[in-house]
């Protein structure tokens, strides 16, 4: 069963002479329960693909199918219950005036849950924060703790597909290890499918089963992680990227 | 090896409502004509150490040390005016993000030439020639075009190379680079490092390379200081970093995912409160 | 003493145990920051005194502010029974100042309620929705901004008739455009931030995003701006009063009092100076308070 199918996806910003094509004709599929990586340097369009899927980049053409649902301009509420996103910078992705409790409570409320209190408690336990963090504000949390809150928020509607936009690139390596372990545990416990964007090949190889290498808005190569580990990239750009990462 | 910089018992303190916060606690090290790496996580005091050497810590922050000697002269005893002559002239600093270090409304050429003429009373023509020479030294292919360009027209890697060029014009003895490549893509990172490496070797400069990236530092530097909670917990030769003894260093190394060695779970660093209490290891030679 | 110590610890805890606790703790932290600014504390003290004066005016005022006594007109400072002297109709200036505090507060409170709220609504809607709505709203704002403030207020009062309420409406109508500009500028930066994207991904609509996510961040800078503008508002009200278009005699509005005293300014300076000093003190207090609030409310400030 395919969880995500992206066909001939084009994403652009601006119009007329100022038009910038950020993604050009991207094709890939992600199976249910799989973890798929998008790798590339800054400006390669990897994050833009995530934003197009989540509906944050309004100008796109092509086909996006999520869990059998074909997506149009407007996303139905059922979409947000299936797909959630974790952002790159945990310092920017939490409202500075909202406590952890408010962030999670509002999310649960918007998705129509009734037992909000019990669920907030469970979400905090799920991401390994515990109750003493429930009423804290973002400025009272470290980067890793904030990213855990952001992950809890993404998990709140019980999604099937999680879009991860460089979830650890703003964190220290020791914290990165904790968050990556948490993501692995959550995927196993909740049967999640991941689509992860990263510039770090070793992180992608740790989290993902397959990956696509992007350059200048195009996918140049799709390969599995075993091939990556054996340095068997076919496209010259992927090889170059691999060389630089060793 | 001659000693360029000698730092002994450096403290950086920030008084706050909750009491005094010590960002750097009794750090000692020397720098010769070598590439010295300072590694640590955010909040370990590594950047503060670099800034403290140049006395760039703003009030209410306080810098204290037995001495910070640049070739035998204590920087802490200098007046602010003398210190200005040291900054840029004898010790230069390259920051993480070139976007914030370049003036957006001046062309790059004007900025480099201004930097040069501030330090040496050269004519415009000399400054121009010198600037072109410097841009070529940092492997910029089309220096005449870059001289006319504005910072926003430059990519991150170009911007960082321009910053390095600017810092090197007065021919300093010491370059402090604070995460100079963290904002860059891996392929560009490599180029920038190669340029720094070449310049340091050719000119016999001392380099302090501050970074959070252990592998990068192990690769690039000669000697590494590992900082934790404002102290140096371990000093080692860079090529022996992977044989490091301290549990903190070991923990950091093991928590990295590796391409060549797949693991189900990454090792999580267990922080021992004793690490923060243990006295600082001296990085003096 | 130990009880208070534990209350303080309870408020300063890093691990609040309930929503109320977290709110109180955040408030207390803000208060501590504010308290460390002694000038702001001075401003606050003056304003608290002003509010108390207005509340207890009948108890504090030594005499009836409207009682005329032509045999005792224009008495100097420190005269018997008249600490600040009397005006041209023999009314006690101190009593009139004390009652005038009510009018000043009334004006200030009304303007502070109307102008920033209109500005906030216009600015956030304009900034968040964008497109032609933004264009229309911002051009309207520009038109209001293009008029000199007092002249526009004069025109409104002339059209609506003189009186305090109309003066307040006129001042509010001229005061909202800068707030709309500030709110719009803030909204534009907030709109593209990750936490707004995140709440969009929960299916939140524009109404919820504007009221629950954007307003709380705009309000703090507006509050600061309002307190800093308050001096100008008091002066505008006083100006209208001075021109005879605001509060009407015999109401003891401070601006109207200056206007009355103007005729005697050379021989009996205190008649105009005392209300002038009162306006000056209150304006200064608002400015000091605004400065202190800026430190507390700045959302960019960490802990």
């Amino acid at each position: 069963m395919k969880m995500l199918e992206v066909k001939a996806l084009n994403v652009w910003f601006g119009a007329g002479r100022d038009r910038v094509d950020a993604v050009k004709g991207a094709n890939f599929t992600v199976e249910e329960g799989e973890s798929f990586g998008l790798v590339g340097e800054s400006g390669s369009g990897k994050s833009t693909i995530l934003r197009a899927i989540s509906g944050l980049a309004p100008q796109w053409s092509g086909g996006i199918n999520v869990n059998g649902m074909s997506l149009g301009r407007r996303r139905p509420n059922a979409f947000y219950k299936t797909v959630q996103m974790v952002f790159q910078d945990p310092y920017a992705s939490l409202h500075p005036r909202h406590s952890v409790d408010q962030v999670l409570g509002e999310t649960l409320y918007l998705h129509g849950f009734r037992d909000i209190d019990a669920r907030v408690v469970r979400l905090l336990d799920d991401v390994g924060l515990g109750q003493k963090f429930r009423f804290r504000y973002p400025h009272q949390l470290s980067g890793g703790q904030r990213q855990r809150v952001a992950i809890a928020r993404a998990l709140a509607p019980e999604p099937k597909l999680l879009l991860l936009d460089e979830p650890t690139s703003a964190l220290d390596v020791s914290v990165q290890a904790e968050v990556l372990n948490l993501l692995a545990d959550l995927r196993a416990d909740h049967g999640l499918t991941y689509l992860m964007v990263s510039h770090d090949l070793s992180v992608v190889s740790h989290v993902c089963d397959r990956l696509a290498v992007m350059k200048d808005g195009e996918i140049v190569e799709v390969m599995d992680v075993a091939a990556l580990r054996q340095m068997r990239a076919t496209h010259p750009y992927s090889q170059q990227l691999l060389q630089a990462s060793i | 090896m001659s000693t360029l910089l000698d730092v002994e018992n450096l403290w950086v303190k920030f008084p706050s409502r909750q009491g005094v916060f010590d960002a750097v606690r009794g750090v000692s090290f020397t720098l010769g004509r070598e590439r010295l790496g300072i590694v640590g996580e955010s909040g370990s005091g590594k950047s503060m150490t670099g800034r403290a050497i140049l006395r760039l810590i703003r009030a209410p922050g306080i810098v204290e040390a037995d001495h910070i000697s640049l070739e035998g002269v204590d920087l802490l005893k200098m007046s602010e005016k003398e210190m200005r002559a040291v900054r840029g002239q004898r010790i230069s600093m390259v920051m993480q993000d070139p976007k914030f270090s370049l003036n957006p409304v001046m062309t790059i050429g004007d900025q480099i030439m201004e930097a040069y003429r501030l330090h040496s009373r050269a004519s415009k023509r000399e400054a121009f020639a010198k600037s072109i020479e410097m841009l070529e030294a940092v492997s910029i292919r089309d220096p005449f075009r870059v001289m006319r360009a504005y910072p926003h027209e430059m990519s991150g890697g170009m911007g960082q190379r321009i910053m390095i060029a600017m810092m090197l014009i007065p021919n300093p003895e010491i370059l402090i680079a604070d995460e100079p490549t963290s904002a860059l893509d891996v392929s560009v990172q490599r180029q920038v490092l190669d340029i720094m490496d070449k310049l340091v070797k050719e000119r016999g400069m001392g380099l302090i390379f501050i970074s959070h990236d252990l592998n990068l530092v192990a690769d690039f530097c000669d000697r590494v200081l590992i900082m934790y909670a404002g102290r140096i917990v371990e000093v080692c030769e860079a090529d022996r970093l992977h044989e490091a003894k301290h549990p903190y260093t070991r923990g950091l190394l093991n928590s990295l995912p590796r391409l060549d060695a797949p693991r189900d779970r990454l090792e999580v660093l267990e922080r021992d409160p004793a690490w923060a209490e243990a006295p600082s290891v001296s990085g003096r030679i | 003493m130990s009880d208070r110590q534990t209350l303080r610890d309870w408020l300063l805890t890093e691990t609040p145990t309930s929503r109320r606790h977290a709110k109180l703790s955040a408030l207390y932290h803000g208060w501590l920051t504010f308290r460390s600014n002694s000038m702001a504390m001075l401003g606050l003290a003056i304003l608290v005194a002003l509010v108390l004066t207005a509340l207890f005016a009948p108890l504090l005022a030594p005499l009836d502010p409207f009682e005329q006594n032509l045999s005792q007109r224009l008495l100097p400072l420190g005269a018997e029974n008249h600490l600040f002297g009397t005006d041209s109709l023999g009314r006690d200036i101190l009593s009139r100042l004390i009652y005038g505090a009510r009018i000043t507060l009334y004006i200030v409170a009304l303007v502070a309620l109307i102008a920033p709220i209109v500005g906030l609504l216009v600015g956030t809607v304009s900034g968040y929705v964008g497109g032609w709505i933004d264009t229309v709203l911002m051009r309207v704002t520009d038109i209001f901004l293009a008029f000199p403030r007092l002249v526009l207020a004069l025109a409104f009062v002339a059209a609506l008739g003189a009186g305090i309420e109309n003066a307040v409406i006129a001042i509010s109508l001229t005061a909202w455009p800068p707030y709309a500009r500030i709110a719009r500028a803030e909204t534009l930066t907030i709109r593209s931030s990750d936490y707004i994207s995140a709440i969009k991904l929960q299916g939140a609509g524009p109404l919820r995003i504007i009221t629950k996510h954007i307003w709380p961040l705009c309000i703090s800078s507006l509050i600061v701006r309002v307190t800093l503008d308050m001096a100008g508002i008091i002066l505008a009200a006083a100006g209208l009063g001075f021109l005879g278009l605001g509060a009407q005699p015999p109401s003891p509005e401070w601006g109207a009092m200056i206007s009355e005293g103007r005729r005697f300014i050379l021989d009996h300076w205190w008649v105009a100076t005392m209300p002038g000093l009162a306006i000056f003190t209150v304006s200064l207090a608002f400015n000091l308070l605004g400065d202190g609030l800026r430190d507390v409310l700045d959302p960019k400030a960490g802990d």
Side-chain angles (χ1 to χ4, degrees), chain B residues 70-71 73 78 85-92 171-174:
Chain B
L70 177 65
E71 294 185 314
V73 185
M78 284 189 180
V86 169
R87 285 186 207 123
Q89 195 87 294
R90 304 184 60 192
I91 308 179
S92 277
N171 222 344
E173 290 141 75
I174 297 172

Side-chain angles (χ1 to χ4, degrees), chain A residues 94-114:
Chain A
L94 295 178
H95 194 287
R97 290 291 163 86
H98 286 182
S99 65
V100 175
D101 178 64
Q102 270 171 294
V103 170
L104 299 180
E106 183 175 28
T107 305
L108 289 164
Y109 170 81
L110 282 167
H111 287 284
F113 291 107
R114 288 291 162 77

Side-chain angles (χ1 to χ4, degrees), chain B residues 34-107:
Chain B
E34 59 175 334
R35 294 163 300 181
L36 177 70
I38 304 184
V39 229
E41 296 184 285
S42 48
S44 60
K46 57 187 192 305
S47 291
M48 286 299 166
T49 306
R51 301 178 140 265
I53 293 168
L54 279 173
R55 298 210 345 229
L56 286 173
I57 307 282
R58 284 206 193 91
I62 304 163
V63 178
E64 282 170 13
D66 291 356
H67 59 82
I68 303 178
S69 307
L70 177 65
E71 294 185 314
V73 185
D74 194 349
L75 296 180
L76 287 177
K77 294 207 175 77
M78 284 189 180
S79 69
E80 191 51 36
K81 196 175 160 207
E82 290 169 307
M83 201 56 214
R84 271 204 294 275
V86 169
R87 285 186 207 123
Q89 195 87 294
R90 304 184 60 192
I91 308 179
S92 277
M93 191 157 182
V94 178
M95 306 277 189
Q96 180 171 0
D97 200 333
K99 274 193 212 101
F100 299 118
S101 317
L102 289 168
N103 185 342
V105 296
M106 274 171 84
T107 63

Side-chain angles (χ1 to χ4, degrees), chain A residues 41-42 172-178 180-181 185 201-203 205-206 228-229 240-242 244-246, chain B residues 41-42 185-188 190 212 214 252 255-269 271:
Chain A
E41 306 205 315
S42 51
D172 279 322
V173 284
S174 62
V175 183
Q176 164 172 291
E178 292 169 19
L180 290 181
N181 283 341
D185 293 344
L201 279 176
S202 50
V203 168
S205 71
H206 178 76
L228 182 78
R229 290 196 193 284
Q240 192 192 327
L241 209 61
L242 256 173
S245 306
I246 296 291
Chain B
E41 296 184 285
S42 48
D185 285 322
V186 267
S187 55
V188 188
R190 186 54 60 190
H212 68 280
L214 283 149
L252 282 186
S255 63
L256 285 165
R258 294 176 58 142
L259 260 181
D260 49 348
R263 269 179 295 181
D264 279 346
R265 293 187 70 79
L266 296 167
E267 222 169 279
V268 171
L269 183 64
R271 284 157 209 273

Side-chain angles (χ1 to χ4, degrees), chain B residues 2-278:
Chain B
S2 64
T3 302
L4 289 172
L5 187 75
D6 186 343
V7 177
E8 178 143 357
N9 198 19
L10 173 71
W11 289 72
V12 178
K13 300 175 177 181
F14 288 92
S16 75
R17 198 186 295 139
Q18 281 84 22
V20 178
F21 171 71
D22 300 318
V24 179
R25 306 187 297 165
V27 163
S28 307
F29 62 91
T30 53
L31 174 75
R33 301 190 188 281
E34 59 175 334
R35 294 163 300 181
L36 177 70
I38 304 184
V39 229
E41 296 184 285
S42 48
S44 60
K46 57 187 192 305
S47 291
M48 286 299 166
T49 306
R51 301 178 140 265
I53 293 168
L54 279 173
R55 298 210 345 229
L56 286 173
I57 307 282
R58 284 206 193 91
I62 304 163
V63 178
E64 282 170 13
D66 291 356
H67 59 82
I68 303 178
S69 307
L70 177 65
E71 294 185 314
V73 185
D74 194 349
L75 296 180
L76 287 177
K77 294 207 175 77
M78 284 189 180
S79 69
E80 191 51 36
K81 196 175 160 207
E82 290 169 307
M83 201 56 214
R84 271 204 294 275
V86 169
R87 285 186 207 123
Q89 195 87 294
R90 304 184 60 192
I91 308 179
S92 277
M93 191 157 182
V94 178
M95 306 277 189
Q96 180 171 0
D97 200 333
K99 274 193 212 101
F100 299 118
S101 317
L102 289 168
N103 185 342
V105 296
M106 274 171 84
T107 63
I108 286 161
D110 285 348
Q111 294 186 53
I112 303 182
M113 278 155 63
E114 185 188 307
Y116 181 60
R117 293 178 68 191
L118 268 179
H119 290 297
S120 62
R121 309 190 177 280
S123 71
K124 258 205 155 140
R125 185 188 301 255
E126 272 176 83
F128 189 83
K130 182 84 181 169
S131 305
I132 294 284
E133 188 190 315
M134 282 318 306
L135 287 176
E136 275 166 347
V138 291
S139 307
I140 284 176
R141 261 181 242 118
D142 190 356
F144 291 95
R145 188 183 64 79
V146 170
M147 288 287 281
R148 283 193 305 272
Y150 285 91
H152 68 90
E153 299 170 55
M154 297 289 111
S155 66
M158 287 279 262
Q160 202 59 297
R161 275 185 256 174
I162 291 163
M163 279 311 295
I164 293 172
M166 265 172 88
M167 293 302 133
L168 293 176
I169 278 183
N171 222 344
E173 290 141 75
I174 297 172
L175 182 66
I176 301 175
D178 189 356
E179 306 257 6
T181 58
S182 325
L184 308 178
D185 285 322
V186 267
S187 55
V188 188
Q189 214 170 50
R190 186 54 60 190
Q191 293 169 7
V192 171
L193 289 179
D194 287 345
I195 290 163
M196 284 175 55
D197 191 37
K198 192 182 91 190
L199 293 168
V200 167
K201 279 201 183 119
E202 280 174 5
R203 295 166 180 239
M205 286 164 48
L207 173 73
I208 299 181
F209 187 87
I210 300 167
S211 175
H212 68 280
D213 191 332
L214 283 149
N215 287 327
L216 190 73
V217 170
D219 224 28
F220 180 68
C221 295
D222 302 316
R223 214 153 53 97
V224 183
L225 314 177
I226 294 110
M227 285 189 72
Y228 178 75
R231 298 201 160 144
I232 300 176
V233 293
E234 189 165 14
V235 180
C236 59
E237 296 300 316
D239 43 11
R240 301 249 179 93
L241 183 64
H242 289 273
E243 301 156 24
K245 300 257 166 25
H246 196 278
Y248 175 68
T249 322
R250 291 244 52 91
L252 282 186
L253 286 167
N254 290 334
S255 63
L256 285 165
R258 294 176 58 142
L259 260 181
D260 49 348
R263 269 179 295 181
D264 279 346
R265 293 187 70 79
L266 296 167
E267 222 169 279
V268 171
L269 183 64
E270 299 290 345
R271 284 157 209 273
D272 187 341
W275 299 345
E277 297 310 317

Side-chain angles (χ1 to χ4, degrees), chain A residues 71-119:
Chain A
L71 298 182
R73 296 293 120 188
R74 291 188 66 86
R75 305 295 147 95
N77 272 342
F79 169 78
Y80 297 122
K81 268 189 163 307
T82 319
V83 180
Q84 281 294 320
M85 182 154 162
V86 177
F87 294 85
Q88 173 174 12
D89 183 1
Y91 291 88
S93 70
L94 295 178
H95 194 287
R97 290 291 163 86
H98 286 182
S99 65
V100 175
D101 178 64
Q102 270 171 294
V103 170
L104 299 180
E106 183 175 28
T107 305
L108 289 164
Y109 170 81
L110 282 167
H111 287 284
F113 291 107
R114 288 291 162 77
D115 48 342
I116 288 174
D117 265 335
R119 277 177 184 269

